[in-house]
């Protein structure tokens, strides 16, 4: 009796809604058809679609904005009041297939904007529940390299790769290794010299203008380095002595 009288009792409430809805009788129950744009999940999917389209067009600012708005609609656990197996399966699917990819789009857009610190903050929020996700690990490496935190990036890479190998996920470990190598080659500067440009030592201290003593050794060095012999161009002079006696100062 209550089931049959439900449409009549609720018709006035439905008419007061800003947008029309339709109530259908189906399999002994009623289904309420609502404009999907009125439901957070529907709006979430629309915004993620927009973010993905902006990302393909390399419009990073628009992609970040759409993804952030979409994720802002995700408050708490979806269908939190439902404990059935279909509800649990739906939550798991949506988490991995829609919510996590939306976070990836957001972080990738932030990286595209060179907002590496903000990207890292977002990744920190995700790390607790998804610390073995190789896509998020690659994004974290990109953020760390973008911040020139090379030592931390290498340590994180080694630890994560070891964990993946411990889990026998060799494909993910190799994927992470290739990404890290690409980042390292692009990010760490390598000095090059033209063939005509002499290579200048970079690790010697400045000369000491008040250097005194060692006259006999200086004279021996002069003789060795000014030799006019045929082998003088390839000669190597070795200074030997206990630590702290001034070998480096003498060489400079």
């Amino acid at each position: 009796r209550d089931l049959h009288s439900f449409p009549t009792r609720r018709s006035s409430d439905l008419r007061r809604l800003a947008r029309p809805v339709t109530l259908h009788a189906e399999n002994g129950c009623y289904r309420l058809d609502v404009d999907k744009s009125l439901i957070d999940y529907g709006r979430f999917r629309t915004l993620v679609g927009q973010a993905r389209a902006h990302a393909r067009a390399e419009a990073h600012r628009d992609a970040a904005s759409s993804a952030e708005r979409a994720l802002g609609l995700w408050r708490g656990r979806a269908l939190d009041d439902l404990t059935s197996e279909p509800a649990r399966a739906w939550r798991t699917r949506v988490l991995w297939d829609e919510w996590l990819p939306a976070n990836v789009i957001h972080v990738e857009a932030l990286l595209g904007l060179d907002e590496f610190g903000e990207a890292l903050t977002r990744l920190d929020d995700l790390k607790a529940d998804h610390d073995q996700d190789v896509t998020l690990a690659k994004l974290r490496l990109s953020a760390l390299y973008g911040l020139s935190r090379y030592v931390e990036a290498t340590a994180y890479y080694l630890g994560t790769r070891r964990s993946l190998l411990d889990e026998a996920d060799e494909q993910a470990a190799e994927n992470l290794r290739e990404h890290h190598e690409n980042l390292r080659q692009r990010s760490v500067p390598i000095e090059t010299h033209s063939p005509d440009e002499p290579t200048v030592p970079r690790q010697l201290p400045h000369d000491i203008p008040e250097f005194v003593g060692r006259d006999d050794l200086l004279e021996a060095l002069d003789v060795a380095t000014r030799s006019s012999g045929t082998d003088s161009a390839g000669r190597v002079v070795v200074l030997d002595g206990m630590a702290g006696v001034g070998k480096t100062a003498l060489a400079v």
Side-chain angles (χ1 to χ4, degrees), residues 99-226:
W99 181 81
L100 198 57
N103 280 277
V104 170
I105 294 173
H106 187 210
V107 174
E108 288 178 339
L110 293 174
L111 294 175
L113 294 169
D114 291 343
E115 296 181 6
F116 304 113
E118 181 63 27
L120 199 58
T121 298
R122 183 59 188 163
L123 289 167
D124 287 339
D125 294 337
L126 298 169
K127 185 178 180 181
D129 296 325
H130 307 281
D131 60 332
Q132 293 297 309
D133 187 274
V134 69
T135 299
L136 297 182
K138 290 164 63 176
L139 292 175
R140 174 172 288 274
L141 285 176
S142 296
L144 290 172
Y145 269 93
L147 294 169
S148 300
R149 290 159 59 172
Y150 305 131
V151 175
E152 183 179 349
T154 300
Y156 172 74
Y157 156 70
L158 292 173
T160 305
R161 184 172 183 272
R162 189 180 304 112
S163 297
L164 292 171
L165 290 174
D166 290 342
E167 296 293 330
D169 196 345
E170 296 182 1
Q171 183 176 358
E174 178 62 16
N175 192 358
L176 186 66
R177 185 196 66 79
E178 292 177 355
H179 183 70
H180 178 257
E181 286 300 308
N182 290 334
L183 287 173
R184 190 178 64 83
Q185 293 174 10
R186 292 201 312 264
S187 302
V188 179
I190 300 177
E191 294 187 7
T192 59
H193 301 276
S194 64
D196 298 330
E197 180 183 356
T199 301
V200 180
R202 301 296 188 185
Q203 296 180 330
L204 293 176
H206 295 293
D207 196 5
I208 302 174
E210 299 84 7
F211 185 82
V212 296
R214 309 293 188 188
D215 293 336
D216 55 340
L217 294 176
L218 288 171
E219 183 178 355
L221 287 173
D222 288 341
V223 172
T225 56
R226 290 175 183 170

Side-chain angles (χ1 to χ4, degrees), residues 56-68:
R56 285 195 296 265
E58 297 187 358
H60 302 305
R61 182 68 64 186
D62 293 332
S65 177
S66 295
E68 185 174 12

